Amino acid sequence: MRKKETTTGNRSGAGTDLIVVARNIVKAWKKRPAYTLFWINPKQLDQSVRELETGLKGKTVKEERSLPTRDIKDLNLIINRHLVHVKGYLMDSFSKKEAQTHYARFGIVKLSSGRYGFPVDGEQRLHALQQLVKALATSEFRDRRYGYRHWKNILARFKESKSLASYSALPQDIRQKTEQKEMVRQTLNALILLIRANHPQHWRNELSAWGFRKEQY
């Protein structure tokens, strides 16, 4: 009997393991130019992986202990993933270039990595969430699955997080490493979804051919 294809909830553990996988994906992606993501390309992913590797090599035990708690990290991953849907709503309503002109209204800015998303800094991210909720309240996307109510709940959780203060106080270099790691994970997950969409019958074989070790990061 054929094993049912399901997506696991596992995320990549050690940063070094994520780097090894990402390196393989960069090589595979460069050989498959037909697969495109409008917000990042293989060259940019390669650069982010290199910067992440350099940052991890210089990480100390003290810095590891200073990282945000599991709750705030998980919440930030949710925010980054779900924000893709909001950008998708804008893309459906406007052209690619025109959609980006509306990002600022929804708290979405261009980050140092070149992609569009929420700032990593705790206070700035809180402001972006508040701006997003305010914009969704009067937008045509208000009642969508990832609309006003959804983000209002996330905003409430973010405000209540006891980890917010420590996250905001992290040194700039540690925040940068966190952003880079999340961006690499987001890219890998986006490529997985793209591969599954293009290979509905044999997507697991295709993931293996690319070098993916998991079905979600």
Side-chain angles (χ1 to χ4, degrees):
M1 180 181 293
R2 185 168 179 245
K3 185 178 180 181
K4 184 178 180 181
E5 296 179 342
T6 57
T7 300
T8 64
N10 295 332
R11 297 190 183 95
S12 178
T16 53
D17 181 63
L18 181 66
I19 289 173
V20 171
V21 173
R23 279 177 177 171
N24 293 332
I25 301 310
V26 168
K27 293 178 181 178
W29 195 6
K30 288 180 178 179
K31 296 177 182 178
R32 298 167 171 82
Y35 292 81
T36 60
L37 296 173
F38 83 91
W39 46 273
I40 192 171
N41 58 45
K43 184 177 180 180
Q44 291 171 324
L45 176 60
D46 188 21
Q47 180 63 32
S48 294
V49 173
R50 292 175 186 274
E51 292 175 357
L52 177 60
E53 183 177 22
T54 300
L56 289 176
K57 285 181 179 179
K59 189 183 297 182
T60 65
V61 175
K62 183 178 180 180
E63 287 174 338
E64 284 279 7
R65 292 175 179 174
S66 299
L67 289 174
T69 63
R70 173 64 62 181
D71 287 343
I72 193 64
K73 287 195 293 184
D74 287 348
L75 184 56
N76 276 317
L77 287 173
I78 291 174
I79 290 172
N80 291 339
R81 290 170 182 167
H82 291 190
L83 190 62
V84 173
H85 297 286
V86 176
K87 290 191 286 187
Y89 295 156
L90 291 168
M91 291 287 293
D92 290 340
S93 299
F94 308 97
S95 64
K96 288 184 178 180
K97 291 184 178 180
E98 188 178 357
Q100 291 181 1
T101 65
H102 293 268
Y103 281 175
R105 177 190 167 201
F106 292 82
I108 302 172
V109 299
K110 189 171 185 179
L111 305 175
S112 59
S113 62
R115 69 184 180 89
Y116 286 89
F118 278 167
V120 176
D121 178 82
E123 290 300 328
Q124 292 180 12
R125 176 160 284 214
L126 174 60
H127 177 72
L129 277 169
Q130 293 171 329
Q131 193 170 345
L132 174 63
V133 171
K134 181 179 179 180
L136 286 172
T138 57
S139 76
E140 61 184 292
F141 318 126
R142 176 186 172 91
D143 298 322
R144 298 283 187 91
R145 179 177 179 181
Y146 298 96
Y148 173 73
R149 290 184 179 180
H150 177 79
W151 286 100
K152 184 179 180 181
N153 291 334
I154 288 182
L155 174 59
R157 289 175 57 189
F158 197 87
K159 283 182 175 180
E160 294 171 359
S161 174
K162 295 180 180 180
S163 304
L164 181 58
S166 61
Y167 185 73
S168 301
L170 283 175
Q172 177 62 36
D173 59 335
I174 301 180
R175 293 203 302 268
Q176 184 66 24
K177 292 171 191 174
T178 302
E179 178 183 339
Q180 290 168 345
K181 185 180 292 186
E182 290 183 1
M183 191 280 293
V184 171
R185 282 176 171 162
Q186 184 180 35
T187 303
L188 296 187
N189 287 327
L191 286 171
I192 288 173
L193 292 176
L194 188 61
I195 292 169
R196 292 186 62 170
N198 281 279
H199 303 274
Q201 300 299 324
H202 309 288
W203 58 269
R204 293 189 72 175
N205 291 336
E206 191 65 21
L207 289 182
S208 179
W210 276 65
F212 284 102
R213 298 178 181 178
K214 299 180 181 181
E215 297 168 12
Q216 183 178 353
Y217 288 84

